[in-house]
Amino acid sequence: MFSIGELSRRTKVKVPTIRYYETVGLLTAPERTEGNQRRYDRAGLQRLSFIRHARDLGFSIEAISSLIELQDHPDRSCQAATDIAAAQLSDVRAKIRRLRALEKELLRITKGCDGEGVSEDCYVLTSLADHELCEWEH
């Protein structure tokens, strides 16, 4: 049995976040001691590790809830989990495309300014003030 602090240390998930996951139903409420302290079992530790890994990969709370539902019913098809992961992959790829466009634009406006002179003549500030000077949509 693990205290909430021990669970936090083992999974590197902050205590308030653990409580939040209980509130939203990702973690089942653990047993409590006579002193009303939470006591998590190994299954709770494994579930929190699962949640932490899924969050690290960018899955939403809703997606994690669906994945947990599938995990709790091992006789169900894996297709739903694959679909959820594929949707996350698609979202990540879209974010990467947007970040690359931002990188190009930031590179362009920083190359347009050598940092010398006064802010009145600064190309970075001028570019930020006039979106029409941007070469890429972002």
Side-chain angles (χ1 to χ4, degrees), residues 6 31 38 51 66 77 81 95 102 104 112-113 131 135:
E6 181 63 20
E31 295 180 20
R38 292 170 168 87
I51 295 166
S66 296
S77 169
K95 287 176 187 174
L102 290 175
K104 286 179 185 177
C113 188
H131 193 35
E135 290 184 7

Side-chain angles (χ1 to χ4, degrees), residues 21 24-27 47 50-51 54-55 59-88:
Y21 291 157
V24 298
L26 293 182
L27 274 178
R47 173 63 50 89
F50 178 95
I51 295 166
R55 291 297 286 159
F59 287 97
S60 68
I61 296 296
E62 295 77 19
I64 295 170
S65 180
S66 296
L67 292 166
I68 287 171
E69 177 70 18
L70 290 166
Q71 189 180 46
D72 287 346
H73 296 90
D75 57 323
R76 292 190 183 165
S77 169
C78 181
Q79 188 59 53
T82 301
D83 291 346
I84 292 168
Q88 179 61 17

Side-chain angles (χ1 to χ4, degrees), residues 23-66:
T23 301
V24 298
L26 293 182
L27 274 178
T28 56
E31 295 180 20
R32 294 201 178 236
T33 65
E34 289 181 21
N36 204 29
Q37 292 182 339
R38 292 170 168 87
R39 291 290 175 211
Y40 298 87
D41 57 13
R42 182 148 309 277
L45 174 65
Q46 291 170 338
R47 173 63 50 89
L48 186 56
S49 294
F50 178 95
I51 295 166
R52 166 73 195 265
H53 191 196
R55 291 297 286 159
D56 286 347
L57 291 171
F59 287 97
S60 68
I61 296 296
E62 295 77 19
I64 295 170
S65 180
S66 296

